[in-house]
Amino acid sequence: MLGSTRHSEPTTIAHVAITRAVSRALEHCELTHLARRPIDLGLARHQHVAYEQALREAGCEVRQLAEQPWHPDSVFVEDTIVALDEGAVVTRPGAPSRRGEVASMAAALEGLRTLLRIQPPGTLDGGDVLRLDRVLYVGASARSNAEGIAQLGRLLAPFGYRVEAVPLRDCLHLKTAVTQVAADRLLLNPAWVDADRFAGWESVPIDPAEPHAANALRVGGAVIYPVSCPRTAAALRKLGIDVRSVDMSETEKAEGGVTCCSVILEV
Ligand code: CIR
């Protein structure tokens, strides 16, 4: 069976998850670390529906934005906005081909959050931003430059957030290398980012046979997680983590993961 395993619907909706329909141009996506492979668009759409269902089962109301047929990577909405309780920062993606994706995300957030913006020459991808309490760790990646990271720090300081740049190796975004999987735990690929950057956090290493295993989406007490990383999933379950499996094979070929395909807002 494709998609998520079955779970009962939650009784309360605690989050809004913004997603976007998969672009028909997905096969023309940006690729940095992967070789291009054929993408089955029908399967990608089917998997995206199952992913949205997993979000609902984890307590989200899903609001899907319209397809952007002319933007291959537009399903990866995470990169267009950094959403916090106090406001949302509209990004300026590092890949020029992706800059046209942000306007409709900003429009969707109007009325929900006060909007702030990264300005040229700053660049920032939301996939590089990992919020842990009042610290935003930002990957100093090929997509997020020093100017973009500095602007984020200045925009969010008034709300009591600190921004810290984190060096990365051999991966696209910070959240390709590390995400939060429990109240006190990170899941991390030590080949791509150093655990000692995250002082005070315990980290679980991924299974070395699954280099892309560090991208997990924690929402509503559950962790939405790709079927492509079964060994790391088993290790997470052993720790008592509620892992909800989704098949993301097609967006994985476009270098996307489970965090990339939604923006989660607390409501
Ligand atoms: C890109 O290179 O921009 C897309 N093909 C993949 C973006 C994945 N987004 C993410 O990890 N936040």
Side-chain angles (χ1 to χ4, degrees):
M1 191 185 95
L2 293 166
S4 65
T5 50
R6 288 209 182 87
H7 298 275
S8 56
E9 292 287 337
T11 48
T12 53
I13 300 290
H15 311 276
V16 166
I18 301 180
T19 63
R20 187 186 293 284
V22 179
S23 169
R24 66 198 64 185
L26 179 61
E27 63 176 339
H28 303 296
C29 61
E30 295 281 340
L31 285 176
T32 308
H33 297 280
L34 296 182
R36 200 166 293 280
R37 285 187 289 157
I39 293 178
D40 180 333
L41 181 62
L43 181 57
R45 289 184 164 152
H46 190 83
Q47 291 175 343
H48 197 55
V49 168
Y51 169 81
E52 290 173 331
Q53 183 57 21
L55 287 168
R56 286 188 195 94
E57 290 169 2
C60 297
E61 176 200 322
V62 175
R63 296 187 191 167
Q64 193 193 75
L65 305 182
E67 181 195 351
Q68 291 184 315
W70 55 93
H71 284 305
D73 283 305
S74 51
V75 69
F76 302 123
V77 286
E78 168 179 67
D79 294 317
T80 62
I81 198 115
V82 177
L84 303 166
D85 290 347
E86 298 85 353
V89 180
V90 180
T91 68
R92 184 167 178 269
S97 69
R98 301 202 54 192
R99 299 214 176 119
E101 297 173 25
V102 300
S104 76
M105 175 58 80
L109 273 260
E110 255 166 44
L112 290 174
R113 293 291 188 273
T114 302
L115 296 182
L116 307 160
R117 287 173 195 274
I118 300 294
Q119 303 290 351
T123 63
L124 187 82
D125 276 17
D128 273 319
V129 181
L130 174 66
R131 185 182 70 78
L132 298 175
D133 300 330
R134 305 305 286 184
V135 184
L136 275 77
Y137 293 91
V138 186
S141 69
R143 298 291 178 86
S144 298
N145 65 14
E147 171 62 21
I149 298 172
Q151 284 184 32
L152 187 71
R154 288 196 293 273
L155 289 170
L156 297 180
F159 303 106
Y161 290 101
R162 186 161 59 81
V163 166
E164 246 186 66
V166 181
L168 296 179
R169 297 174 291 275
D170 305 328
C171 65
L172 184 60
H173 288 128
L174 179 64
K175 278 187 277 188
T176 328
V178 55
T179 55
Q180 184 178 3
V181 286
D184 56 352
R185 261 177 229 257
L186 306 178
L187 178 64
L188 180 141
N189 180 340
W192 291 348
V193 70
D194 294 329
D196 60 13
R197 291 272 160 189
F198 307 95
W201 288 84
E202 203 176 317
S203 66
V204 185
I206 52 132
D207 187 293
E210 299 172 344
H212 287 93
N215 187 260
L217 175 59
R218 181 169 179 258
V219 57
V223 169
I224 297 177
Y225 197 70
V227 291
S228 57
C229 302
R231 293 167 181 241
T232 308
L236 293 175
R237 288 194 170 106
K238 264 196 193 151
L239 292 169
I241 294 170
D242 177 6
V243 176
R244 313 279 180 94
S245 298
V246 287
D247 191 342
M248 308 286 285
S249 67
E250 302 313 290
T251 42
E252 283 168 358
K253 293 177 192 167
E255 238 170 315
V258 287
T259 64
C260 322
C261 296
S262 58
V263 171
I264 311 285
L265 305 170
E266 309 282 329
V267 289

